[in-house]
Amino acid sequence: MTALHIWNTKTRRKEKFVPLNPENVRLYVCGPTVYDRAHIGNARPAVTFDIVYRLFQYLYGKENVTYVRNITDIDDKINNRAKGVRADGDKRDLISIIKSITDETIGWYHEDMYSLGNLAPTHEPRATDYIPQMISMIKDILYNGNGYVVEGHVLFDVSSFPQYGYLARRNLETMKAGARVEVAPYKKNDLDFVLWKPSSGDLPGWASPWGRGRPGWHIECSAMSSELLGPTFDLHGGGSDLCFPHHENELAQSNAVYPKEEFSRYWMHNGMIRVNGQKMAKSLGNFFTIKDLMDKGISGEVIRLVMLGTHYRSEIDWTDNKVHEATEIVARWRRILSTTSDLEPGMDPDFMEAVCNDFNIPKGLSRLHELARREELDSLFGSLSLLGLESLCEQEINALVNSNLDTTEFTDCLVQILEYREECRKTRDFTKADEIRDSLSEAGVLLQDQSAGELPKWQLDNNFNPEMLESLKSRYEDGI
Ligand SMILES: [Zn+2]
């Protein structure tokens, strides 16, 4: 069998991937900051590392792989959004508003991830559940002489850490020139970064040896990864925009606390997305959320296939033409796979070889076109499953959707709600239809809309709560 080779950002070389322990393969990926809907740029790392996760599961066995993707639920962007909501007349206190913003956004994120065909990670820790671990790491950083306290802030002292800049291959001078660092008068060095900062009374804050405050962004990932995966783990992933300073800072913090440990042994970074050759920006009108695309009738499978058409390390240029091509391929593969009803997923060696060569999926896809032409459907199906496109085969998604739970008890109730929502869609009451979708998501039921007239497919996530489903049904009693 082909050995997996990946381009390791740390060594700038393509290397054979050898996990520390093949019975405990560990992957950490930086997840979303939850203040708004995910856009296609946020979708790319989620899709890229979902395939890494699937390949690890295939190579090492499902039970031997742990995938952690965190949720950043404390951040200035979230606080600012809450202040905006309050300024618009919401009378609740900021902390309650923040709670509803983060909960709602996490629900949307789960829906989007499901629509894109991503598996749920093994753990999805929220930063605010790991404050004691962060405080303990910050104490150690100070104790080891790698940080300092000034005006209620705790800062990491980059000059105390000679390896700083190694991951991003930058020295202090070029970093200063290249990075947009927050210049603050109390910093010894412009590149010193915040570990802890004060929080005003109406914003979320926690008691600490340095006063009431909250963590900086970088320390969150160091704390959650070491807590859930240990101080050394196999692979750390994220977008190339996170390599510096975020990942450099994670590495510095974790090495400062665990000087004898390696932190992550391999690092993978995915490229960015442009739209029609331009940088994606709200001001240019080329900024799409996943939901925007779905609302235009572009399915999760199509979005995924567009992403997979470009090697993960290269920049994607998102164009209507690519969407159009992917739409045709998805339809063709779906049609071919529907010609038989008893597929046995197989794996094509040439496809596997391409994937194992630093995830050369564009090459793997051209192999899949060959398999489709030759009607080697078992191999086509197995290979598509590795890419997270198993939903192209109807028989499989129905099996997947209903796999884990005895659904008989609440299926009736759910179907009635879904039928009511379908009525709303038919009468073009999209506000209510969206409201029902969001409430279902809060109850842990994720929807994937189908063409008009068909009930959506659904899946339950970890938050599933049958009682909320009942109360939702009674809320729409009149219609139902
Ligand atoms: Zn991170």
Side-chain angles (χ1 to χ4, degrees):
M1 175 125 125
T2 338
L4 170 62
H5 285 72
I6 62 174
W7 175 267
N8 187 355
T9 310
K10 184 155 123 181
T11 56
R12 298 293 195 278
R13 274 205 313 261
K14 207 186 270 185
E15 290 178 357
K16 186 171 172 187
F17 178 78
V18 184
L20 265 182
N21 174 1
E23 289 177 0
N24 182 17
V25 183
R26 287 159 288 168
L27 163 66
Y28 185 91
V29 175
C30 300
T33 301
V34 284
Y35 66 101
D36 209 349
R37 288 206 176 259
H39 55 75
I40 52 176
N42 305 128
R44 195 172 187 197
V47 169
T48 302
F49 294 102
D50 180 63
I51 292 174
V52 175
Y53 179 42
R54 285 168 186 265
L55 181 67
F56 282 178
Q57 289 190 333
Y58 181 80
L59 296 174
Y60 303 103
K62 272 194 172 124
E63 61 293 353
N64 296 329
V65 183
T66 306
Y67 172 22
V68 178
R69 186 183 64 212
N70 73 293
I71 287 175
T72 295
D73 59 353
I74 172 91
D75 188 89
D76 282 340
K77 293 194 198 89
I78 302 172
N79 292 349
N80 291 340
R81 177 106 203 269
K83 286 177 192 166
V85 169
R86 229 179 109 92
D88 289 343
D90 193 320
K91 296 273 183 293
R92 292 173 297 164
D93 59 89
L94 277 176
I95 290 180
S96 312
I97 297 176
I98 286 171
K99 171 102 176 76
S100 46
I101 290 174
T102 52
D103 283 351
E104 182 178 45
T105 312
I106 290 169
W108 292 338
Y109 187 74
H110 284 164
E111 278 171 26
D112 289 342
M113 294 301 105
Y114 171 59
S115 302
L116 291 170
N118 292 325
L119 301 173
T122 324
H123 302 287
E124 201 175 36
R126 296 188 189 198
T128 51
D129 290 333
Y130 290 78
I131 303 290
Q133 289 86 341
M134 295 178 206
I135 290 177
S136 149
M137 282 189 99
I138 297 170
K139 280 185 187 166
D140 289 348
I141 290 171
L142 287 171
Y143 181 80
N144 293 340
N146 297 109
Y148 57 98
V149 184
V150 57
E151 297 182 23
H153 292 68
V154 186
L155 294 163
F156 191 94
D157 179 0
V158 298
S159 70
S160 74
F161 195 74
Q163 308 93 301
Y164 191 75
Y166 175 76
L167 180 68
R169 295 290 193 278
R170 303 190 192 202
N171 63 37
L172 284 180
E173 290 315 309
T174 57
M175 278 187 278
K176 265 186 231 171
R180 264 189 287 165
V181 291
E182 191 193 338
V183 180
Y186 47 78
K187 282 187 183 179
K188 285 199 219 165
N189 181 322
D190 288 349
L191 290 167
D192 291 350
F193 56 90
V194 169
L195 300 168
W196 189 264
K197 61 178 170 184
S199 202
S200 66
D202 51 351
L203 288 171
W206 292 264
S208 83
W210 318 287
R212 183 177 181 277
R214 61 182 184 83
W217 172 37
H218 315 297
I219 194 72
E220 295 176 7
C221 288
S222 287
M224 289 184 272
S225 62
S226 64
E227 178 76 15
L228 293 166
L229 299 174
T232 298
F233 53 92
D234 294 298
L235 177 63
H236 193 313
S240 58
D241 54 335
L242 297 187
C243 187
F244 185 84
H246 181 54
H247 291 161
E248 192 72 53
N249 293 353
E250 283 185 31
L251 181 61
Q253 294 162 156
S254 294
N255 279 344
V257 175
Y258 304 105
K260 297 206 168 81
E261 299 279 346
E262 210 177 334
F263 193 45
S264 183
R265 303 171 56 242
Y266 300 83
W267 291 78
M268 275 174 74
H269 289 96
N270 64 270
M272 299 290 100
I273 297 193
R274 292 169 90 77
V275 176
N276 297 318
Q278 282 185 307
K279 200 176 152 90
M280 189 168 63
K282 280 191 175 134
S283 57
L284 294 174
N286 63 1
F287 184 95
F288 311 126
T289 65
I290 312 295
K291 179 154 194 311
D292 292 336
L293 295 176
M294 299 274 176
D295 288 349
K296 282 205 268 175
I298 301 171
S299 70
E301 289 107 344
V302 168
I303 299 173
R304 192 171 179 100
L305 192 58
V306 172
M307 302 230 166
L308 298 183
T310 301
H311 187 265
Y312 78 90
R313 280 193 280 123
S314 305
E315 189 174 72
I316 292 180
D317 189 16
W318 184 277
T319 61
D320 288 345
N321 200 24
K322 283 181 185 159
V323 171
H324 181 73
E325 266 177 30
T327 307
E328 290 197 333
I329 296 170
V330 160
R332 190 184 319 141
W333 284 347
R334 202 192 285 281
R335 199 171 53 238
I336 294 172
L337 288 170
S338 70
T339 55
T340 170
S341 58
D342 52 349
L343 287 168
E344 286 286 332
M347 193 56 76
D348 176 68
D350 290 347
F351 169 80
M352 200 51 174
E353 193 178 318
V355 173
C356 282
N357 181 9
D358 192 33
F359 297 89
N360 192 345
I361 292 169
K363 188 172 176 194
L365 288 174
S366 49
R367 176 67 186 160
L368 296 193
H369 289 298
E370 269 175 55
L371 294 177
R373 262 196 307 276
R374 294 193 206 148
E375 298 192 10
E376 293 185 27
L377 299 187
D378 287 344
S379 296
L380 178 65
F381 177 45
S383 308
L384 284 172
S385 304
L386 191 78
L387 296 182
L389 288 167
E390 64 276 12
S391 59
L392 296 188
C393 184
E394 296 296 322
Q395 121 202 15
E396 180 65 6
I397 189 151
N398 292 329
L400 266 183
V401 162
N402 296 323
S403 58
N404 302 332
L405 269 154
D406 174 15
T407 52
T408 44
E409 274 178 37
F410 57 83
T411 303
D412 274 357
C413 172
L414 177 60
V415 167
Q416 287 179 41
I417 298 171
L418 292 180
E419 280 171 350
Y420 174 59
R421 180 170 173 271
E422 214 38 50
E423 282 303 311
C424 298
R425 274 156 57 93
K426 242 184 250 166
T427 56
R428 309 194 67 76
D429 187 351
F430 294 115
T431 317
K432 185 161 268 171
D434 280 353
E435 180 196 306
I436 297 174
R437 160 192 274 272
D438 293 346
S439 311
L440 282 171
S441 161
E442 262 172 55
V445 182
L446 307 179
L447 302 185
Q448 192 179 35
D449 276 323
Q450 305 299 303
S451 46
E454 272 177 65
L455 287 188
K457 289 177 179 162
W458 48 271
Q459 190 182 48
L460 307 175
D461 75 6
N462 302 337
N463 303 326
F464 177 63
N465 179 343
E467 279 161 30
M468 278 173 78
L469 209 58
E470 281 294 336
S471 74
L472 196 62
K473 187 181 148 198
S474 50
R475 200 191 314 163
Y476 297 114
E477 203 94 71
D478 291 348
I480 290 170

